[in-house]
Amino acid sequence: MMPPAVREKFDSFIRSKGLRQTGQRDSIVEFIFESDDHFTPDELFDRMSRAGMKPSRATLYRTLALLCEANLLHEIDLGDGKTTYDPNFLDRPSHNHLVCVDCGKVTEFEDDHIEVLHKCVSLRLGFRPVKQSLRIEAACEQLRAKGHCPNLIQARIEGKRLPNRKK
Amino acid sequence: MMPPAVREKFDSFIRSKGLRQTGQRDSIVEFIFESDDHFTPDELFDRMSRAGMKPSRATLYRTLALLCEANLLHEIDLGDGKTTYDPNFLDRPSHNHLVCVDCGKVTEFEDDHIEVLHKCVSLRLGFRPVKQSLRIEAACEQLRAKGHCPNLIQARIEGKRLPNRKK
DNA sequence: CTGATTGCAAATGCTTTGCACGCCA
DNA sequence: TGGCGTGCAAAGCATTTGCAATCAG
């Protein structure tokens, strides 16, 4: 279920810009916020297609841009050369991402110390921080122990999203 | 002048991979490490062209990949949708980037506290950090005071690199 | 009605590749 | 001499855009 807060925020954004509420936009927004998964435009397209919806890619891209502008979605860089969208910034406005170097699995985390520290450093340099993005690439315990990540195998079986690696 | 450390590291990398030392590679490496500027592949191509060298883009891309593999160059994401290369990780292996939201000017900085903190947080989550990349988008003092960044004007006059913004 | 919205296909922009030729070890 | 290296043009991707038809307010 899409959180009501999303619906409200999106609707008021649409209204404030003099845009229109349409079936396409609604179905895209609902589809995205039914889960908290990250996705690339292409993944979203595939998932929606499998679910029977067939938005055109153009509309998808246009709607993603709107959602970013409305601050409901953030573009993040997972280091794989693709644009990934993250729907979880409403709940956790300043979380960061940890990416497994083996399987590419993404772990979100929040840490107040980090946020404060980034702010302090910026101020010391004479800047007022607007936005910070931190990505830590790391090896999980099992990867270190076994030489490969169990998520890698598991994800392959389940056909999940994986390769946060460049070709 | 290219630092001798670069020459050495590149040569030994080339040798260790059974590759060959060529005029093209040498001129590209020398050109890059004569300054400490960041650059995109296209900027590098233009700069080298203006300097009379005419590497093909293909060779440029292939050599950039080698330099990254040799750890002489890092790909960084300045948030403008382009891949930027940073030649300064040899001197300062764990520096970060602060990007002005107005003019896009990039300020490099190092901070031990940040590095330690990132490491602690990763370990607490069960990961061993391999690589971290932090970008802080921020407003400089003058931007806040005058509503626009003096660098913006200055850079336009000098025809320098600027728009660290998406179209 | 009128202008925003959509889908399609074409256009972009950046990067990679196939291939034939040239050159280093 | 045997491959690696290079340049060119073509191919690949991800994303954007022009345009005509369609739809919301």
Side-chain angles (χ1 to χ4, degrees), chain A residues 19-20 22 24-25 54 56 58-59 62 167:
Chain A
L19 305 177
R20 290 167 186 177
T22 70
Q24 281 301 348
R25 281 176 185 159
K54 294 272 185 188
S56 73
T59 300
R62 290 189 272 234
K167 331 158 189 181

Side-chain angles (χ1 to χ4, degrees), chain A residues 99-111:
Chain A
V99 184
C100 176
V101 288
D102 193 36
C103 73
K105 189 184 172 200
V106 179
T107 303
E108 297 193 343
F109 67 93
E110 282 189 297
D111 186 287

Side-chain angles (χ1 to χ4, degrees), chain A residues 24 28 44-45 48-49 53-57 59-60:
Chain A
Q24 281 301 348
I28 293 170
L44 180 59
F45 179 79
M48 290 189 72
S49 296
M53 293 170 258
K54 294 272 185 188
S56 73
R57 283 193 156 75
T59 300
L60 219 51

Side-chain angles (χ1 to χ4, degrees), chain B residues 5-23:
Chain B
V6 172
R7 169 92 283 144
E8 280 166 39
K9 195 164 182 181
F10 186 62
D11 287 355
S12 77
F13 173 78
I14 288 292
R15 261 181 268 115
S16 75
K17 300 261 298 183
L19 304 178
R20 289 169 188 174
Q21 184 172 354
T22 69

Side-chain angles (χ1 to χ4, degrees), chain A residues 6-96:
Chain A
V6 172
R7 168 94 282 142
E8 281 166 40
K9 195 163 183 181
F10 186 62
D11 286 355
S12 77
F13 172 79
I14 287 292
R15 262 181 267 115
S16 76
K17 300 261 298 183
L19 305 177
R20 290 167 186 177
Q21 184 172 352
T22 70
Q24 281 301 348
R25 281 176 185 159
D26 286 349
S27 66
I28 293 170
V29 176
E30 272 166 32
F31 192 92
I32 290 174
F33 289 95
E34 254 162 30
S35 101
D36 56 1
D37 282 358
H38 299 152
F39 59 87
T40 62
D42 208 54
E43 285 168 345
L44 180 59
F45 179 79
D46 286 346
R47 292 177 194 171
M48 290 189 72
S49 296
R50 269 185 255 113
M53 293 170 258
K54 294 272 185 188
S56 73
R57 283 193 156 75
T59 300
L60 219 51
Y61 277 104
R62 290 189 272 234
T63 304
L64 291 174
L66 283 180
L67 286 167
C68 286
E69 207 186 325
N71 219 38
L72 285 163
L73 228 45
H74 278 212
E75 291 187 350
I76 60 174
D77 171 27
L78 258 24
D80 58 358
K82 300 170 192 167
T83 302
T84 299
Y85 291 85
D86 184 332
N88 304 321
F89 280 88
L90 247 201
D91 291 333
R92 300 184 281 141
S94 60
H95 69 266
N96 298 291

Side-chain angles (χ1 to χ4, degrees), chain B residues 83-124:
Chain B
T83 302
T84 299
Y85 291 84
D86 185 333
N88 304 322
F89 279 88
L90 246 202
D91 291 332
R92 300 185 281 141
S94 61
H95 70 266
N96 298 292
H97 299 93
L98 215 153
V99 184
C100 176
V101 288
D102 193 34
C103 73
K105 190 186 171 199
V106 179
T107 303
E108 298 193 344
F109 67 92
E110 283 189 297
D111 186 288
D112 293 339
H113 303 296
I114 286 184
E115 218 201 324
V116 171
L117 185 49
H118 290 174
K119 194 167 183 177
C120 287
V121 172
S122 303
L123 294 174
R124 199 199 312 144

